[in-house]
Amino acid sequence: EELLVESGGGLVKPGGSLRLSCAASGFSFSVYGMNWVRQAPGKGPQWVSSISEGSDYIYYEDSVKGRFTISRDNVENSLSLQMKSLRPEDTGVYYCARALNIMDLWGQGTTVTVSS
Amino acid sequence: AIQMTQSPSSLSASVGDRVTVTCRASQGIRNNLGWFQQLPGKAPKLLIYAASSLQDGVPSRFSGSGYDTDFTLTITSLQPEDSATYYCLQNDYYPFTFGPGTKVDVK
């Protein structure tokens, strides 16, 4: 079974840091681009970042540029999102999603809450 | 960034009805558009990619059409399990952008 499982979410104070992970299984992780998508409470999804199969191409949504870093390990079949200088508006559920055709496989999400 | 709009924002329809949701891009995106269904508390699920291609395992009552700036998602013969929020997503240009969503209620 093809699976993506996110972890690393939690409660953090404004200005703090958090590292999210996404473990992939059941498919050849190294041949797919990957994405992070977040969803604030009661809002629609928002694309956050994308990384190509070999990490050659990386893109970020403007509001996270300079604060978030996406990376991947094709040996460990994992995707990461290092988040720094967190703001209350970063609160939400963070999903990793595989990029085949478009975001065809999603994890269950991990919740990030930025609050004092 | 490309802005995506959807209409209507919500609708209510009966089992067996034909339902259409529209999505408009602020600039041309060729056919680089997908449609997602999201149930409460769940991750979005891909229904349609490349504007009109049905994702594996998705019932054939779902279909998509459109090109450039105007797109539609059609659900023929609406079923109770289709109660959900539907989002379009453009993946032609970064930053990828989602529409604001259409909530479908099945009476």
Side-chain angles (χ1 to χ4, degrees):
Chain A
E1 183 187 6
E2 298 178 329
L3 269 180
L4 295 170
V5 179
E6 301 93 338
S7 60
L11 173 63
V12 61
K13 288 182 168 51
S17 299
L18 214 52
R19 185 179 182 89
L20 305 184
S21 296
C22 171
S25 60
F27 64 95
S28 296
F29 179 74
S30 63
V31 305
Y32 293 94
M34 295 294 295
N35 301 277
W36 285 101
V37 176
R38 66 185 177 185
Q39 190 164 24
K43 303 292 186 182
Q46 180 189 36
W47 171 81
V48 173
S49 183
S50 295
I51 186 168
S52 62
E53 306 88 284
S55 303
D56 302 299
Y57 300 98
I58 289 175
Y59 304 91
Y60 297 101
E61 195 269 331
D62 281 350
S63 71
V64 308
K65 279 180 186 174
R67 300 189 300 122
F68 290 12
T69 302
I70 191 172
S71 62
R72 65 188 295 161
D73 184 330
N74 287 342
V75 174
E76 296 293 327
N77 294 331
S78 67
L79 176 73
S80 295
L81 186 68
Q82 177 68 52
M83 305 186 295
K84 300 179 179 179
S85 302
L86 282 162
R87 305 167 181 169
E89 55 265 35
D90 296 318
T91 293
V93 178
Y94 283 70
Y95 298 99
C96 61
R98 184 177 72 179
L100 171 65
N101 300 317
I102 197 168
M103 300 173 197
D104 73 314
L105 178 68
W106 295 60
Q108 85 290 348
T110 187
T111 299
V112 172
T113 303
V114 184
S115 175
S116 54
Chain B
I2 296 176
Q3 306 300 315
M4 306 299 293
T5 57
Q6 282 183 240
S7 61
S9 56
S10 65
L11 66 90
S12 183
S14 299
V15 173
D17 283 354
R18 178 187 180 96
V19 165
T20 298
V21 179
T22 65
C23 178
R24 177 164 289 175
S26 60
Q27 66 186 73
I29 57 171
R30 298 176 289 180
N31 70 333
N32 292 309
L33 182 113
W35 288 97
F36 294 82
Q37 176 193 64
Q38 188 173 33
L39 301 173
K42 299 294 187 182
K45 172 188 173 184
L46 178 64
L47 301 175
I48 302 287
Y49 63 93
S52 60
S53 295
L54 190 68
Q55 175 68 1
D56 288 347
V58 174
S60 59
R61 64 180 180 274
F62 292 93
S63 65
S65 64
Y67 189 85
D68 196 31
T69 61
D70 293 299
F71 303 87
T72 60
L73 171 71
T74 301
I75 311 172
T76 57
S77 190
L78 193 68
Q79 298 300 303
E81 60 266 31
D82 300 335
S83 282
T85 302
Y86 294 83
Y87 297 96
C88 60
L89 165 69
Q90 71 80 17
N91 66 320
D92 197 31
Y93 296 101
Y94 287 102
F96 294 164
T97 42
F98 287 87
T102 296
K103 188 171 184 179
V104 173
D105 173 62
V106 181
K107 288 186 276 191

